[in-house]
Amino acid sequence: MRLINVETFLRREGLMEEGKPVDRRANVLEFCDDEATEYAILSHRWIGQEVDYSKIVKLAKMDEEGRSEIRQRDGYRKILQSCELSKKAGYKWLWVDTCCIDKRSSAELSEAINSMYRWYANSRICYAYLHDAPGSSFPIARNNKMYVKSNGWPEWFSRGWTLQEMIAPRDVQFFNKDWHPIGDKRTLSSILEGITRVPQHILKEGLSSNRPCVAQIISWAANWTTTRVEDGAYSLMGLLDVNMPMLYGEGKKAFHRLQLEIIRTSNDHSIFAWGCNSIKVRTGSVLADNPSFFEDCEKMELMNQDELIEYLKRDIPEGELPGNEDDQLGTFPITNRGIQIWLFARPYVDSNLVFRAPLPCRTYPSGPPVAIDLALWDSNYYRYPGYLRHEGGLQLRHIYLRYQDAPHCNSTFEIDDGAIHEKGLTSSATWPHGSITGSLVTLGTTDPLCVKGYSSSQEYHFAVGFGQCFGQNWIHVVCKEPNSPLGSLWYSYCPMLERAPEHAQLMKKARFGAACCRAYILQTRLPRSTWILQTSYVMWKSSRICGVKLELFRNPGFGNVLGEWTGFDVDGTDDPDRDWRGLMICHCPRKQDRCELLVDGVSNEFSYAPNDIKLGDYGHFTDSEDFCCEGNLFADLNSLSLKANITPRQHKISDRGGPQRESGAMRARHYSGGSTEIYKPLGLSLPSNDDYKSLYLITRVIQCSPDPRRPGSGTTHWHNIAKPFVWHRNEGTQGSMVEGSGEVKHRVTKQESMV
């Protein structure tokens, strides 16, 4: 380590003070062995302009003006005062972090940080300078007015690096801002414990005596801060007896690396016990993001295997109890898949994906083991926010705990529940309160769920949960019986959150039924009623906003109701501003032969159509799957003198063989095998942003001219039919489409259900 030669420093300072020449070759800083040298050390809060290594070395070579500026700095005065204290106490050497480390060398900086705890521990005395403590005695009570930014105590007690500087040295002497002594660590141990939560026996005897568990040590740093995020981890290395390289710029990964180093060198399960007493644990890695996650672990202690088994044996099948010689619970190596570990796990109510796992540690002597909640996702286990609703026996499981971050992203749901309100229902409340802004809900890893309640005068109640779990959005509906109050949404929120991985899996599963799934439908029957709640969900391609529409409609039958999510291929979900009624699901009746053609170079399916089919025709399908035309949009608009922007678009049609041939003929390939030759096809389609899609609608038509090479051939048509994604249902037989001041009416002859 590099130390200040106290005598040389003070001699040079005296000559400069008197204006006399100084020896520019004198070495103020020299390398020494910390194990063999008696030295003092300074602990302080960095403020203002500190004096670094290069300035201390070059001070003698500066001009008078440069010297004066450096010597007037508070950072220099701290070094000078520390040297005078050291000389008075009989120490020839002093270490000060600001000037004894050449921070221009990354190797030297890394070595110093990895060695710093040892350097403080090997010092004979540590001077702790409280630059903002004005009194002549040590502060014994919190003063939030004087110390606004440091939790009511001098700022020295809030900085991450000074935690180890208080614990490591045997003798710590405190000084106020005027460098008057105000006490020492041993005599102030009871007050220091109240300030820092570090036990008195640690302050007096150090960590070598009755060393606490990892979680307790990290908990001491929960409320201490550092300027750089990475220093929150680096400042704990000595306290936790680990070493690792410095990588400034890695952010919270530094604390993740610190925990992995601890796991590699110990079998202390308390490293996983963070957040056990918190109701807001984030979903994801089993590693904490920063020391504040361990805030509630200040009394944590380890249990041996026998103690753990004694607490758990009534819930463990006899054949699964590990033997005394079995070291299953004490070994958990780190692999590329995760941390390979044996844990006892208890499933949650009605869940096969969320578990509670007790650990061999406890929060107070003779207490029960603490437990963490885990969720199974893609064959790995992640930390999860659970509640006390577990059941069943414990099972010893060989699992992988993921230390990598779980897949996640912030999700925004835009809720359209106007149709619910039109039926007379009101939004009763949301949980958490204030989680919905207007119609938007934004979720993240620490706020993964929002529940919104609805109620009516007929006492129909239901709650809709909007969640995000492992990067998968999900929606779940909870209904209550008539005359049974929904109660606090907290009682809907907790079960939904517990089963969030299962709800997310159901949404994920729905994708498998569609080639490019962007839309989902869920139908839920309200208990003992003919009301159906339909939840429609769309993921916009060009936006992170997910659209959700809630509708109520009557269905007097008790069949044909979807009990789970169904995914659909939806055309045109790249426009988040489009009207919900503009979202159409491609419909190809099985009875009609289908073929493939390229529309503007993109493959599309078409069905053979009767010759009288026209673009804009709308209607329904009969039971025999024949299309029954009920009208035409263009004709209706024209008869009512209405104007709408639904000008047909023209497209280039080709087949897999390439552009249209000179003869004008091409082949439409059938999915059932074979092909049909068509002549000079003309492709027309409705614009994707029109609002006139309330029935089965002819959205694309390819009309082919008679082939002159084949006398007697006539005009042929091929078409696309789409059905509404969000069906506008009426209890009667009338539906309507409105444009401007006019109204286009059509008769619904058959109520359709989404299938």
Side-chain angles (χ1 to χ4, degrees):
M1 66 187 304
R2 185 185 286 111
L3 293 170
I4 299 173
N5 186 318
V6 172
E7 184 178 350
T8 302
F9 183 94
L10 292 177
R11 184 187 308 114
R12 187 178 72 172
E13 172 61 23
L15 293 173
M16 288 188 292
E17 180 69 21
E18 296 173 3
K20 296 180 180 180
V22 297
D23 184 358
R24 297 187 176 188
R25 296 173 297 176
N27 292 324
V28 174
L29 299 172
E30 299 182 35
F31 282 101
C32 300
D33 182 358
D34 62 289
E35 299 284 350
T37 307
E38 294 188 355
Y39 60 92
I41 200 165
L42 174 65
S43 175
H44 65 110
R45 164 75 177 99
W46 284 40
I47 54 174
Q49 290 182 305
E50 300 292 345
V51 179
D52 60 17
Y53 166 81
S54 62
K55 290 183 174 59
I56 285 291
V57 171
K58 297 177 181 178
L59 186 64
K61 301 176 182 180
M62 292 181 182
D63 57 28
E64 187 62 32
E65 184 178 353
R67 288 183 188 178
S68 177
E69 191 275 325
I70 296 297
R71 292 174 58 236
Q72 294 303 314
R73 291 185 185 181
D74 289 338
Y76 184 85
R77 307 307 297 178
K78 283 189 290 189
I79 300 173
L80 177 59
Q81 290 285 355
S82 300
C83 284
E84 291 176 348
L85 287 172
S86 299
K87 181 179 180 180
K88 185 177 180 180
Y91 296 106
K92 298 180 179 180
W93 303 96
L94 170 70
W95 189 86
V96 180
D97 57 354
T98 55
C99 63
C100 289
I101 306 172
D102 185 357
K103 298 178 181 65
R104 297 172 300 180
S105 169
S106 58
E108 182 172 333
L109 177 62
S110 181
E111 179 187 2
I113 291 177
N114 276 277
S115 306
M116 200 171 294
Y117 182 86
R118 190 184 80 240
W119 291 350
Y120 274 91
N122 287 339
S123 67
R124 293 297 184 265
I125 190 170
C126 175
Y127 304 126
Y129 175 55
L130 310 185
H131 73 279
D132 53 354
S136 58
S137 60
F138 192 89
I140 60 174
R142 190 187 304 272
N143 189 331
N144 291 319
K145 291 183 179 180
M146 181 177 292
Y147 306 111
V148 177
K149 297 181 180 179
S150 51
N151 202 27
W153 298 100
E155 195 174 1
W156 188 89
F157 293 101
S158 68
R159 307 305 296 177
W161 287 106
T162 53
L163 176 62
Q164 68 172 0
E165 296 164 12
M166 176 184 67
I167 294 174
R170 291 185 294 274
D171 184 7
V172 178
Q173 300 289 329
F174 291 95
F175 294 83
N176 68 4
K177 71 181 188 71
D178 298 319
W179 287 93
H180 295 147
I182 55 176
D184 65 88
K185 180 173 71 169
R186 294 186 67 85
T187 57
L188 295 171
S189 60
S190 62
I191 298 175
L192 294 175
E193 181 180 22
I195 298 173
T196 66
R197 305 193 302 175
V198 179
Q200 291 189 53
H201 75 272
I202 298 296
L203 294 170
K204 292 179 179 180
E205 308 299 333
L207 284 172
S208 59
S209 173
N210 192 20
R211 188 178 182 86
C213 68
V214 166
Q216 184 181 154
I217 293 174
I218 299 177
S219 75
W220 303 336
N223 298 316
W224 299 55
T225 61
T226 56
T227 303
R228 299 287 297 268
V229 173
E230 298 85 352
D231 286 337
Y234 303 157
S235 62
L236 287 172
M237 292 192 301
L239 291 169
L240 296 166
D241 196 23
V242 296
N243 296 96
M244 63 184 194
M246 309 296 101
L247 296 173
Y248 282 103
E250 64 178 331
K252 69 177 184 180
K253 289 183 179 179
F255 194 61
H256 290 174
R257 283 201 299 126
L258 177 71
Q259 294 166 87
L260 292 176
E261 288 298 324
I262 294 170
I263 293 170
R264 288 188 180 98
T265 58
S266 77
N267 60 355
D268 188 332
H269 283 74
S270 72
I271 192 69
F272 305 119
W274 54 269
C276 287
N277 298 321
S278 174
I279 62 172
K280 201 171 185 180
V281 176
R282 61 117 170 93
T283 299
S285 168
V286 296
L287 304 179
D289 289 341
N290 57 67
S292 68
F293 283 47
F294 289 85
E295 183 175 8
D296 297 329
C297 298
E298 61 177 298
K299 301 297 183 181
M300 189 77 69
E301 65 176 37
L302 296 178
M303 302 171 65
N304 60 44
Q305 180 171 310
D306 291 340
E307 290 177 301
L308 177 67
I309 298 300
E310 184 64 28
Y311 270 102
L312 303 179
K313 65 181 182 181
R314 64 182 178 182
D315 296 322
I316 305 174
E318 187 69 27
E320 295 191 17
L321 287 172
N324 292 332
E325 72 286 348
D326 196 341
D327 195 32
Q328 283 179 313
L329 301 181
T331 304
F332 37 97
I334 299 172
T335 73
N336 60 350
R337 179 176 170 182
I339 300 169
Q340 185 179 351
I341 192 170
W342 287 89
L343 288 177
F344 291 104
R346 188 196 308 271
Y348 269 59
V349 174
D350 301 326
S351 174
N352 58 3
L353 296 179
V354 182
F355 304 86
R356 171 153 289 197
L359 301 174
C361 50
R362 53 194 172 198
T363 54
Y364 56 90
S366 302
V370 299
I372 58 174
D373 295 297
L374 302 171
L376 176 61
W377 187 265
D378 290 340
S379 302
N380 292 302
Y381 288 76
Y382 295 85
R383 276 301 300 268
Y384 193 74
Y387 298 90
L388 301 175
R389 286 172 23 97
H390 51 276
E391 67 174 9
L394 287 164
Q395 293 180 335
L396 186 59
R397 293 172 176 251
H398 188 215
I399 64 177
Y400 288 89
L401 300 178
R402 290 286 287 184
Y403 57 83
Q404 299 89 344
D405 283 335
H408 72 273
C409 61
N410 290 340
S411 300
T412 300
F413 295 83
E414 184 174 13
I415 304 171
D416 180 357
D417 54 6
I420 296 288
H421 298 149
E422 290 175 3
K423 297 297 184 181
L425 277 80
T426 59
S427 303
S428 57
T430 60
W431 185 272
H433 301 302
S435 54
I436 296 182
T437 304
S439 62
L440 297 179
V441 177
T442 300
L443 305 174
T445 55
T446 56
D447 299 292
L449 173 62
C450 169
V451 177
K452 188 173 184 178
Y454 296 89
S455 60
S456 72
S457 56
Q458 288 81 24
E459 301 301 330
Y460 293 112
H461 303 275
F462 58 89
V464 183
F466 307 92
Q468 198 261 15
C469 185
F470 299 112
Q472 171 68 54
N473 293 337
W474 60 270
I475 302 173
H476 184 66
V477 178
V478 174
C479 299
K480 292 293 182 180
E481 294 281 344
N483 302 316
S484 173
L486 187 65
S488 170
L489 284 179
W490 171 256
Y491 296 104
S492 295
Y493 181 93
C494 294
M496 284 193 197
L497 190 60
E498 289 170 1
R499 299 191 63 183
E502 295 181 39
H503 301 323
Q505 286 281 17
L506 292 175
M507 292 285 284
K508 185 177 180 181
K509 179 181 177 182
R511 291 208 306 258
F512 299 145
C516 184
C517 184
R518 289 281 173 179
Y520 303 82
I521 290 287
L522 174 69
Q523 292 182 348
T524 309
R525 182 179 296 281
L526 300 186
R528 300 184 184 181
S529 75
T530 59
W531 285 105
I532 300 296
L533 171 66
Q534 179 167 282
T535 307
S536 309
Y537 169 85
V538 171
M539 295 182 293
W540 307 116
K541 290 181 182 178
S542 59
S543 169
R544 292 189 176 182
I545 296 179
C546 306
V548 180
K549 188 177 180 71
L550 303 175
E551 293 182 290
L552 275 177
F553 62 90
R554 293 275 189 187
N555 186 340
F558 287 89
N560 300 322
V561 176
L562 300 178
E564 59 184 32
W565 287 99
T566 300
F568 296 94
D569 291 329
V570 177
D571 184 23
T573 59
D574 55 340
D575 183 1
D577 297 321
R578 73 186 308 164
D579 191 283
W580 277 94
R581 291 172 296 168
L583 292 172
M584 303 297 288
I585 300 171
C586 296
H587 181 81
C588 295
R590 297 176 182 175
K591 180 180 178 180
Q592 295 174 317
D593 193 14
R594 291 178 292 165
C595 72
E596 178 198 31
L597 286 168
L598 301 183
V599 179
D600 298 329
V602 179
S603 175
N604 280 258
E605 292 185 11
F606 291 90
S607 300
Y608 182 75
N611 288 339
D612 58 350
I613 202 88
K614 297 182 295 297
L615 187 69
D617 284 352
Y618 60 83
H620 67 276
F621 277 91
T622 65
D623 292 337
S624 59
E625 292 191 342
D626 292 322
F627 179 71
C628 180
C629 180
E630 299 180 15
N632 182 274
L633 287 180
F634 297 100
D636 291 345
L637 291 172
N638 185 59
S639 65
L640 293 172
S641 300
L642 296 176
K643 295 181 179 180
N645 183 24
I646 55 173
T647 303
R649 293 185 298 184
Q650 187 167 335
H651 303 275
K652 182 178 180 181
I653 308 300
S654 58
D655 60 21
R656 286 292 183 184
Q660 185 171 310
R661 301 170 185 81
E662 293 184 4
S663 64
M666 63 181 63
R667 290 191 177 275
R669 300 180 183 276
H670 295 268
Y671 286 93
S672 58
S675 63
T676 298
E677 193 169 78
I678 58 178
Y679 184 72
K680 290 187 177 179
L682 173 63
L684 298 173
S685 73
L686 291 176
S688 61
N689 62 345
D690 71 276
D691 297 339
Y692 300 96
K693 296 179 180 178
S694 306
L695 282 171
Y696 285 92
L697 181 66
I698 308 300
T699 57
R700 288 180 180 176
V701 169
I702 297 178
Q703 58 187 41
C704 307
S705 303
D707 190 343
R709 302 170 301 170
R710 297 179 180 179
S713 65
T715 301
T716 59
H717 290 76
W718 298 81
H719 71 293
N720 277 156
I721 298 179
K723 64 179 180 179
F725 167 59
V726 178
W727 186 263
H728 179 72
R729 293 176 173 84
N730 279 330
E731 295 178 34
T733 59
Q734 295 296 320
S736 65
M737 298 177 291
V738 180
E739 172 70 20
S741 60
E743 185 177 63
V744 180
K745 291 188 176 181
H746 59 269
R747 184 176 181 81
V748 180
T749 59
K750 179 181 178 182
Q751 187 179 49
E752 297 290 338
S753 296
M754 306 305 290
V755 294

